[in-house]
Amino acid sequence: MARCWSYAIAAVGTLVLLIAPSTTGQTCGRRQVDKMFLIHNGQEAKPGYWPWHAALFESKVRSFDYICGGSILDQNTILTAAHCLVTPNGLVAVERLSVQVGRNRFLKADKRGQEHEAHQLIPHPDFDINDFANDIALIKLATDITYTDYVQPVCLWNRDTNLQSIVGMKGFIVGFGFNEKDVVSDYLKDAEIPVVDSYTCINSNPDAFSFKVKPEMYCAGNRDGVSACNGDSGGGMVFNYANVWYIRGLVSFIPLRGQEAICDPNQYTVFTDVAKYLSWIQKNIRQAIGGSTGVPVHTSVDRNPKLRLLNLDVCGTNRYSNTREFDKQVFLGYPWMGLLEYAVEGERERQTVCHGTLISDRYVLTAGHCVNSLPRRYRLTAARFGDFELSTSRDCAAVNGQQECAPPTQVIRIESAIVHQNFNTPKYANDIALLRLREKAIITQSNVKPICLPVTNDLRSHKPTSYTLTGWPTNGNTLFRSQREVVDSVECQANYTQHSITLEKTFRQICVKQDAHSAACHFPKSAAALQTVQKLQGDDRYVMHGLLSYGPKECTHAYPDVYTYIGPYMDWILNNMNE
């Protein structure tokens, strides 16, 4: 049951917006890795050489389309071009925008990358899509970027803001935009180009530039085939002073190549002059995040009074905390794992086809399809907790050299089930349900404890490269554990597109490989849990991040399993809990 399957180019006149087809102080602007190598006829950039570069993706019907570049200003602010976010039909839907940082390849991600949900889009209020004026915008993120050697902020310009101070100087532009073959580059590329004065720029092509180049813009390039191109919009042009990099420009537009909606690399590229917008940037950073940079944006969960219902004092017990994860015993190690029991018409024995994960003494999380998509003859009746080996009446094992037996299992009737209101809209989306138990689980038992949920911004901001999966196999009786490596959402969607399955949103689902460490492939029952160990109230606790939604029917690394990501549903979970 768990294994079910079942660059648009925006052009105006003879100019092209470079969208891809369908911080202050010394903590910014510094590379953490040693030297380098889009950009049209540019060089491949070394990983970590431009650690502030961000790639913007938009979730479409059956794909994640790369649309623009951007730059990291602080842990939850991205600077980009306004035309990346504003279309002739209005603002891009914030829930469809994904921001990826630390990425050095387009087609294949690695463990350095992070993906973040957009929380708020702030285009300049005077942006004019018809003439590119004030082509600048900010994206506020719902979760914090984690700084690493490959992910760092760039510095805002703090020098002379007069354009003449940089005319003739060379700066670097970076991006995944069209390469010399007129396709999106698989590798991040960079190119060094000089700034030219506005008179030279306008006279080079009066028809294209005379009414478009404003005082808040500047031009750069050599007109030699090396330039920004489609997909590079929003990316920064940076300059180095004393080994610190400062952003001065944002790629805005370039004239078309003949009648094609593709950049002409033998023309100058026009940039939004960031130095003319410093006060607007600082004002909107403060207003958007409540007073200072680095403060989390998404705090409604943190303030929710129903957090008291989650047993935060005892959740996520890490019984074998001094042992490496995959050296730990599974027995009594994951006491929140449970099975849902179904009465089946015409059968005497209860069936257990889905998991339920205990999140408090009264509530259980499971998949929406475990409630709404079962055959009619299945009726959900109860949840069973405290089990380990299903074929035995009581579980015992050697723990630290001594025999230990678990307390009896608890079978508790289900009082009510709430399936997410948008379950299966679109197909397989919002696959989550909250079950309320008729009686409280006895969580003082060693084999029955709730798991923690990502209740803080720090917990939700954590972007691990792998999770611990626990559950019972579809054809087995013993609770198992395995490590599941995260698969990049763009790669994951590409795999599923041929099956007409769309990932709902990049940040509401997690794709993982089926089994990273085992020669045997284990198919867990539906709604198995993904978790990782994190700090909560000073202790190392297990925090739940996903539950199994769907995946391929056979063992394969080609098609990842897809899990519902818990973080974006925290408000929904808490709002549906009661005393």
Side-chain angles (χ1 to χ4, degrees):
M1 176 178 171
R3 324 302 311 175
C4 58
W5 284 98
S6 313
Y7 310 146
I9 298 170
V12 180
T14 59
L15 307 180
V16 60
L17 303 183
L18 303 181
I19 302 178
S22 258
T23 164
T24 61
Q26 299 309 301
T27 58
C28 62
R30 289 194 179 276
R31 293 185 178 129
Q32 305 299 315
V33 298
D34 294 329
K35 174 86 178 168
M36 103 179 160
F37 314 97
L38 172 100
I39 306 302
H40 206 276
N41 286 316
Q43 306 176 88
E44 292 180 6
K46 183 177 179 179
Y49 204 62
W50 309 109
W52 41 83
H53 187 72
L56 311 185
F57 289 81
E58 184 180 1
S59 178
K60 298 292 182 64
V61 176
R62 289 179 183 170
S63 65
F64 293 137
D65 289 354
Y66 168 69
I67 56 172
C68 278
S71 299
I72 302 170
L73 295 187
D74 63 28
Q75 283 187 287
N76 47 44
T77 309
I78 303 295
L79 180 66
T80 190
H83 78 258
C84 293
L85 308 180
V86 181
T87 73
N89 296 322
L91 199 64
V92 170
V94 66
E95 66 271 14
R96 306 203 69 81
L97 192 66
S98 167
V99 178
Q100 301 197 14
V101 296
R103 192 182 186 107
N104 202 63
R105 290 193 63 182
F106 177 74
L107 296 177
K108 185 175 178 61
D110 57 34
K111 294 182 179 180
R112 306 183 188 101
Q114 301 173 33
E115 184 173 25
H116 293 269
E117 169 189 359
H119 171 74
Q120 183 183 7
L121 308 183
I122 312 174
H124 194 282
D126 297 324
F127 168 63
D128 187 341
I129 197 170
N130 295 309
D131 69 359
F132 320 129
N134 305 296
D135 193 9
I136 187 170
L138 297 173
I139 301 172
K140 299 304 299 181
L141 305 178
T143 51
D144 286 348
I145 291 169
T146 300
Y147 292 154
T148 68
D149 286 350
Y150 302 92
V151 180
Q152 291 286 318
V154 70
C155 290
L156 282 172
W157 193 260
N158 68 349
R159 313 178 75 80
D160 190 344
T161 61
N162 190 301
L163 176 58
Q164 293 304 313
S165 67
I166 60 170
V167 169
M169 291 183 57
K170 291 184 177 182
F172 276 90
I173 53 175
V174 187
F176 287 108
F178 276 19
N179 57 23
E180 60 277 5
K181 296 181 180 179
D182 293 335
V183 296
V184 172
S185 174
D186 185 25
Y187 286 88
L188 187 67
K189 288 189 176 182
D190 59 39
E192 189 176 26
I193 58 174
V195 177
V196 299
D197 64 85
S198 297
Y199 179 82
T200 299
C201 177
I202 293 172
N203 281 328
S204 71
N205 190 339
D207 290 341
F209 292 136
S210 59
F211 297 104
K212 297 294 183 182
V213 177
K214 306 290 194 300
E216 297 79 24
M217 302 173 176
Y218 69 83
C219 303
N222 283 310
R223 304 185 72 201
D224 60 355
V226 178
S227 73
C229 200
N230 301 56
D232 291 323
S233 281
M237 184 172 183
V238 294
F239 296 82
N240 187 295
Y241 293 91
N243 293 320
V244 178
W245 292 87
Y246 297 84
I247 187 167
R248 178 67 189 254
L250 300 177
V251 177
S252 183
F253 69 88
I254 191 170
L256 296 173
R257 187 189 313 167
Q259 299 303 310
E260 300 178 84
I262 301 176
C263 74
D264 184 348
N266 293 307
Q267 301 280 350
Y268 290 119
T269 302
V270 179
F271 295 79
T272 300
D273 190 346
V274 174
K276 305 298 193 297
Y277 295 91
L278 295 178
S279 60
W280 178 83
I281 292 171
Q282 296 290 2
K283 173 186 175 183
N284 281 279
I285 286 178
R286 288 195 299 270
Q287 287 184 346
I289 60 180
S292 62
T293 59
V295 176
V297 174
H298 198 64
T299 58
S300 59
V301 173
D302 307 317
R303 300 191 301 268
N304 197 309
K306 292 187 179 180
L307 285 172
R308 68 184 187 280
L309 302 178
L310 289 178
N311 307 112
L312 295 179
D313 53 335
V314 297
C315 69
T317 300
N318 193 353
R319 180 183 174 101
Y320 308 110
S321 59
N322 295 323
T323 306
R324 292 190 312 171
E325 186 67 21
F326 287 87
D327 291 331
K328 296 176 181 179
Q329 289 188 252
V330 178
F331 178 68
L332 299 179
Y334 308 92
W336 37 85
M337 293 306 303
L339 289 168
L340 303 184
E341 293 191 349
Y342 298 84
V344 182
E345 184 180 342
E347 297 182 16
R348 297 184 60 183
E349 293 187 1
R350 296 286 194 266
Q351 296 296 314
T352 54
V353 295
C354 284
H355 291 92
T357 303
L358 194 68
I359 62 169
S360 77
D361 56 8
R362 200 64 181 262
Y363 283 93
V364 177
L365 274 187
T366 191
H369 74 261
C370 290
V371 179
N372 275 8
S373 299
L374 291 163
R376 289 187 178 182
R377 63 195 189 97
Y378 278 72
R379 181 171 56 86
L380 180 60
T381 60
R384 185 199 313 167
F385 293 100
D387 220 333
F388 172 69
E389 171 59 53
L390 303 181
S391 62
T392 61
S393 58
R394 192 174 187 188
D395 296 321
C396 298
V399 178
N400 297 325
Q402 295 185 344
Q403 188 76 353
E404 183 174 345
C405 291
T409 59
Q410 299 179 35
V411 178
I412 309 171
R413 294 188 65 80
I414 292 170
E415 180 179 288
S416 61
I418 302 173
V419 178
H420 195 280
Q421 63 273 17
N422 294 322
F423 166 61
N424 225 19
T425 307
K427 192 174 183 180
Y428 302 124
N430 302 299
D431 192 9
I432 188 170
L434 182 67
L435 309 180
R436 178 179 169 87
L437 302 175
R438 184 167 294 182
E439 298 174 354
K440 289 185 178 182
I442 303 172
I443 60 175
T444 55
Q445 289 187 192
S446 59
N447 60 341
V448 179
K449 304 282 185 186
I451 194 171
C452 300
L453 295 181
V455 295
T456 68
N457 185 71
D458 284 345
L459 296 177
R460 294 188 295 276
S461 296
H462 183 52
K463 306 292 181 181
T465 58
S466 65
Y467 289 96
T468 299
L469 168 69
T470 50
W472 282 270
T474 53
N475 296 311
N477 291 318
T478 306
L479 183 70
F480 77 92
R481 169 193 61 213
S482 69
Q483 180 176 336
R484 298 297 166 102
E485 294 181 0
V486 176
V487 177
D488 171 64
S489 60
V490 176
E491 179 184 344
C492 184
Q493 179 63 76
N495 289 331
Y496 277 102
T497 294
Q498 60 183 304
H499 296 280
S500 300
I501 296 174
T502 303
L503 301 189
E504 178 207 6
K505 299 181 183 72
T506 58
F507 52 86
R508 287 187 181 269
Q509 293 171 316
I510 303 171
C511 296
V512 300
K513 292 181 180 178
Q514 286 188 352
D515 205 331
H517 280 326
S518 175
C521 181
H522 296 289
F523 286 123
K525 299 175 187 289
S526 279
L530 288 182
Q531 61 232 288
T532 190
V533 175
Q534 295 176 262
K535 285 285 186 186
L536 180 61
Q537 297 181 348
D539 297 324
D540 290 330
R541 313 274 200 94
Y542 282 97
V543 180
M544 183 180 183
H545 286 272
L547 55 85
L548 178 59
S549 182
Y550 62 90
K553 296 178 180 179
E554 298 178 354
C555 289
T556 175
H557 283 290
Y559 299 100
D561 285 335
V562 181
Y563 287 71
T564 299
Y565 180 34
I566 303 301
Y569 292 98
M570 281 306 307
D571 275 322
W572 178 84
I573 292 169
L574 292 170
N575 290 339
N576 282 287
M577 294 177 69
N578 294 299
E579 296 287 354

